[in-house]
Each structure stands twice: as structure tokens, then as C-alpha cells.
Amino acid sequence: MPALLKLINTTPQLPEDADAVVIGGGIVGVFAAYYLARRGLKVALVEKGRIGAEQSSRNWGWCRQQNRDARELPMATKSLDLWERFAAESGEDTGFRRGGLLYLSNSEEELAGWARWRDFARTVGVTTHMLDSAQATERGRATGKPWKGGVFSPTDGTADPASAAPVVARAILKLGGTVHQSCAARGIETESGRLSGVVTEHGTIRTKTAVLAGGAWASSFCRQLGIRFPQASVRSSILAVSPGAVGLPDALHTAAVSVTRRADGGYTLAISGRGRVDPTPQQLRFSPQFLPMFVKRWRSLAPGGLEGFRSGHETLARWRLDAPTPMERMRILDPAVDKATIRLTHSRALAVLPPLKNTSIAAAWAGYIDSTPDGVPGIGEIAAVPGLILAAGFSGHGFGIGPGAGHLVADIVTGNEPIVDPRPYHPDRFRKSAWGQVADF
């Protein structure tokens, strides 16, 4: 596990009915439930393990607009405002702060790409500053190296992955919603073709609306309902070092390594985009649709091992509603760390940021990043099952845009004007090829 998650109370009694049931207690699921509860709906949030225990606590904690794909940028911008507003509305602290994100590079090609994004961002009102060599070297003085250039995005920031999802869940409880941990959703029931209930291991909740925010488990859950949702997980390994480094930026990206200050004063270290693809039956099933993604990102991805089979989240098996499911056998996805990646990440970090030599490795962990063929999440009502809203496939971007995604889900459920245009996210697009549509960042 990456860090000690905040503990929250589990509602002891499963409700007989609810206006909406949210399946999955990651950052998207908790924000969806929170915004539904704020609108006065009776909401039940069910989580097979612990709130925030999978990828929502295993990420860097970045909340950024910088380098977002054009389809996600509006949601990223709205999410930054929502991160701030949440603290004022709820009295809970997610650790969010707009400390700015710093990007440094010695690659002319990379700098040119950032400049093109800056020009695009200006058209939608996003502020980002290109840095010349002198400015980049000054901002990156902790590296002790000269840089050709960089980017500083002052309005972007970070939140605390170890506490964010749990404190949002705590806010749900304050609003009268219920939160049920160690309570796997096994499936749904329908009446006249429309969703009528969510079946959990502890009983059925009658409802006309369910939100599937199941992260890496979403595709196999959809399969039980005859819904084809192409999803593939990438196993990412990162580490944390102890406090002791002085003068480092709060959040820094370079091609070699990325570094983020943690709540305890230590740092999270990672190599952007690097991961292993563990073969599973689901991976093979959807491989044709993911070919454009792999072609674009093959330099960062490597074949994995049998972790995916062991975890069971990408099974093609069918399960019964009256017997334990793979989700109950694997309450929390906690895959094996890629030790070679950890060694490489640490050595690169020490080379880029000499002050880190005053620290030691405190923890290393891995997590599964649930991805879609184009790298953009699927959010929207499933036509085949009216009342079922999908919110999954966030492709490593879900933590930062979690508030916006949750708000959009609540808009869809209640019929309010959507916070952003929902069309780029609708799951119907997965019926088409992703060639030419893969997210740039």
C-alpha cells in the first residue's frame, strides 16, 4: 500500500432503497455520490474493499490542466475550481493546493509540443507560461543543471491521494448518504428493461439509478450485463522517499522522472507513462481496439507477467449473483511492484535532483490504471440498460478530474445542465476505431 489511508465509518445497515446507488469508492465514485447527495438525493455508495484503496490512493496526486487532451481540458479546468469549493462546502480537507506544476526539458521537440499546447490553451482561457533557458534553469535550480526550457502552470496543483477519497466519503455521510465498505456490488436487476436494483453481497438495494464507477473492474462488471466496454489495465509502479530533501519544487516533471511533494514532507517518484501490460483474457479480447494506443505509446509500455490473472479484474468469466464473485476474492487490487522500474526511477531521481540523496526509500507500490482505447474516460448512460450510468476508463487522469467527472454524473442523473459538454465522453464512441483519436497527453 502506498500510504496509510484515512479511515472512515461504514454505515452499518444497507438501505432497502435509494434514489441512486454508486458502485465503486474511488475518487470518481465518491464525488459522484457527493454531488448527488448535495442535490437532495438519497444516495448509497458501495465499495467492495476500502474507500480510495485502489488507484485513487496510488497516483501522484496531480490536479492539472497543463498538457490535457482537448477533450478533457474543460473538465480539468472545472475540477480545479471544484477541488477548492469542496473544502469550503464540506469543511473537509483533501490536501488540495494550487502550488503550480513545473515541467523542464532539454528536448527541442518536447518544448515545441508544449508551446503548441500553450497556444491552444490560450484559446480556452487557460494560463500557462513557457520558460526560456534562463527561467527554466532558475526554477529548476534544485537540479543543479542547465535546461533548454520548460513550462510553469501556476493555477494547477496537487491533492493528497491518501486522504482525498475518504474525506469526500465522510462528506457524503454528513449529507445523509450511506457508505458501505466491504460490500461488493455483484450485479443489477431490471424491470421492463430498466434498472430496478443493485445486488450486493449483503442484499439488494431497490433503485432506478446506478453509477458504475468501478475503475479497473468496470469492464468485467459490464460483461455480466452483456455490455461491451473496451478496457485494458496498465500496471504502474512508483515509490516514495522519506522527508529530508530541501529546496525541491512541489511538483516537477522531466522526461527522466517526475517528483511530487507528499503530505508528510517526503516525495513520490515516478516515470511518466511507464508501465507493464499484464496479459489477461480481457486484454486479448480488446487488443484490436487498443492497437492505436499501443502503437503510439509502445516506448513506455512493456509486457508484464501473470499479475492480471492473479488479480481477476479482467476475467471473461460469468458470475452468479448469489455466490462470491472475483471482487470478493480480491477486495483491493494490490499488484506486485516492478522492482526494475523502482530501481530505475530511484536512480534517475537521484541524478536529476541531488537533494534526494538525503532521503531513503520509504515505500514502493503498484496499481492498475484503467484505460480506454483513446485514453479518454467513458461517462454516460448505457442505452441497453436505462438507469445505468458508466463512469470509468479514466486512463490515469481520474484523480485530477474526479470532481468534474462526479459533477457531470450528477448532472446526467438529475437532468441538470451539464458542467461540461458530455458528448466527448459518451461510451457509444467505443463502437468506432480509435485511430487518430488517441489522447496526446
Side-chain angles (χ1 to χ4, degrees):
M1 295 291 291
L4 188 62
L5 276 173
K6 280 189 181 294
L7 294 175
I8 67 158
N9 294 325
T10 292
T11 308
Q13 187 68 35
L14 202 69
E16 292 185 3
D17 60 82
D19 295 322
V21 176
V22 178
I23 302 168
I27 198 71
V28 174
V30 295
F31 269 116
Y34 170 74
Y35 286 115
L36 287 167
R38 275 188 62 82
R39 297 178 192 192
L41 274 67
K42 181 181 178 182
V43 180
L45 173 65
V46 296
E47 163 56 45
K48 62 180 175 53
R50 287 178 58 190
I51 297 295
E54 293 189 340
Q55 196 55 30
S56 291
S57 61
R58 295 164 188 260
N59 60 85
W60 305 1
W62 284 31
C63 306
R64 64 179 172 90
Q65 299 167 101
Q66 178 66 37
N67 289 345
R68 286 285 188 198
D69 183 85
R71 290 162 289 185
E72 282 189 354
L73 182 57
M75 186 177 287
T77 300
K78 295 290 187 182
S79 291
L80 286 167
D81 293 336
L82 294 174
W83 276 109
E84 285 185 323
R85 284 166 48 188
F86 172 78
E89 291 171 351
S90 68
E92 299 285 355
D93 182 13
T94 62
F96 175 74
R97 60 189 299 268
R98 291 191 193 239
L101 306 181
L102 175 62
Y103 294 65
L104 299 173
S105 180
N106 282 319
S107 165
E108 295 288 358
E109 181 181 0
E110 190 170 38
L111 291 169
W114 293 346
R116 287 193 299 272
W117 190 89
R118 182 269 318 271
D119 294 341
F120 152 70
R122 282 176 174 167
T123 67
V124 290
V126 175
T127 301
T128 186
H129 302 301
M130 290 297 299
L131 307 176
D132 62 24
S133 179
Q135 293 168 327
T137 300
E138 170 58 24
R139 282 196 177 271
R141 58 188 175 276
T143 67
K145 302 175 179 63
W147 296 91
K148 287 186 177 180
V151 173
F152 183 65
S153 52
T155 58
D156 290 349
T158 59
D160 179 16
S163 64
V167 302
V168 178
R170 199 158 60 194
I172 296 166
L173 293 171
K174 290 181 183 178
L175 291 169
T178 60
V179 177
H180 309 274
Q181 298 176 99
S182 296
C183 182
R186 293 175 172 174
I188 66 168
E189 292 181 344
T190 61
E191 289 180 6
S192 302
R194 182 180 177 84
L195 188 140
S196 61
V198 173
V199 180
T200 80
E201 61 181 294
H202 299 309
T204 299
I205 306 173
R206 313 309 307 174
T207 186
K208 293 183 178 180
T209 303
V211 178
L212 177 55
W217 297 87
S219 183
S220 60
F221 190 98
C222 283
R223 179 173 169 78
Q224 311 307 308
L225 312 177
I227 298 166
R228 193 176 190 276
F229 172 40
Q231 188 179 41
S233 295
V234 175
R235 177 163 50 101
S236 175
S237 297
I238 60 180
L239 70 143
V241 295
S242 62
V246 178
L248 273 59
D250 284 353
L252 168 67
H253 166 80
T254 71
V257 69
S258 296
V259 182
T260 313
R261 189 188 300 274
R262 295 166 64 84
D264 63 1
Y267 285 84
T268 297
L269 315 178
I271 299 174
S272 180
R274 192 177 185 91
R276 291 199 176 271
V277 181
D278 296 327
T280 64
Q282 184 172 295
Q283 293 270 12
L284 297 174
R285 180 191 184 205
F286 294 131
S287 58
Q289 284 188 259
F290 278 90
L291 187 58
M293 174 76 75
F294 292 143
V295 167
K296 191 164 188 175
R297 300 184 179 174
W298 66 270
R299 290 182 180 86
S300 300
L301 301 176
L306 299 178
E307 283 298 297
F309 282 98
R310 181 182 71 84
S311 298
H313 63 295
E314 292 191 345
T315 178
L316 296 183
R318 302 277 187 172
W319 58 68
R320 292 164 41 190
L321 301 185
D322 60 352
T325 68
M327 294 173 289
E328 290 148 79
R329 292 189 285 273
M330 181 61 69
R331 293 283 181 184
I332 297 172
L333 283 175
D334 189 23
V337 170
D338 180 2
K339 294 180 180 178
T341 293
I342 295 301
R343 289 193 296 270
L344 179 62
T345 304
H346 192 230
S347 65
R348 286 186 178 186
L350 296 182
V352 172
L353 292 163
L356 289 174
K357 293 176 181 177
N358 297 321
T359 68
S360 58
I361 295 178
W365 64 92
Y368 277 118
I369 297 173
D370 57 311
S371 302
T372 61
D374 58 10
V376 176
I379 306 173
E381 186 171 29
I382 301 296
V385 186
L388 179 62
I389 314 297
L390 179 68
F394 281 79
S395 306
H397 310 154
F399 186 80
I401 64 174
H407 198 294
L408 177 59
V409 166
D411 296 336
I412 293 169
V413 170
T414 59
N416 286 23
E417 174 154 351
I419 190 171
V420 295
D421 183 356
R423 290 173 294 182
Y425 309 106
H426 200 280
D428 282 353
R429 75 181 192 279
F430 297 128
R431 298 173 186 171
K432 302 176 183 178
S433 170
W435 287 108
Q437 302 297 318
V438 178
D440 290 327
F441 300 100

